[in-house]
């Protein structure tokens, strides 16, 4: 599993303009079984998501994010292996 941290590189107005396409991309990731969770950093300086796949697979997939294609965000990828999970989150350990 890969944890991805996004940091915005452009003005929030540009992010807001790209957000609908970004959200559609995220929803497709859920439908495809790739994306597990996504959200914003607080304060809103970027976001995060957790995705299934190898590091290379997730990097390739993330390159299609509208934030990435527009050069609006920087991505940091961290491979993780969850080992302790709260009840109801068992799918994160798969």
């Amino acid at each position: 599993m890969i944890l991805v941290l996004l940091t915005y590189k452009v003005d929030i107005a540009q992010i807001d303009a790209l957000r609908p396409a970004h959200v559609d991309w995220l929803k497709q990731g859920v439908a495809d079984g790739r994306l597990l969770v996504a959200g914003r950093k607080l304060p809103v300086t970027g976001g995060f998501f957790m995705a299934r796949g190898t590091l290379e697979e997730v990097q390739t997939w993330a390159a299609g994010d509208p934030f990435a294609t527009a050069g609006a965000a920087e991505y940091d990828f961290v491979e993780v292996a969850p080992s302790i999970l709260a009840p109801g989150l068992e799918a994160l350990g798969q």
Side-chain angles (χ1 to χ4, degrees):
M1 176 180 319
I2 310 299
L3 171 64
V4 184
L5 300 174
L6 284 71
T7 302
Y8 299 145
K9 299 179 359 179
V10 298
D11 184 83
I12 196 69
Q14 289 177 269
I15 294 298
D16 289 342
L18 292 166
R19 191 176 314 282
H22 170 72
V23 169
D24 287 346
W25 176 81
L26 291 170
K27 288 179 180 179
Q28 186 61 54
V30 171
D32 293 343
R34 170 80 62 198
L35 182 65
L36 298 168
V37 62
R40 294 183 179 133
K41 290 181 184 177
L42 297 175
V44 183
T45 58
F48 78 96
F49 58 82
M50 293 180 74
R52 288 188 174 106
T54 66
L55 179 59
E56 288 181 0
E57 289 169 343
V58 173
Q59 287 173 327
T60 298
W61 175 68
D65 179 0
F67 287 168
T69 59
E74 177 179 293
Y75 295 69
D76 291 313
F77 298 86
V78 180
E79 191 166 4
V80 297
S83 57
I84 299 174
L85 300 164
L89 299 178
E90 293 81 8
L92 293 178
Q94 299 174 356

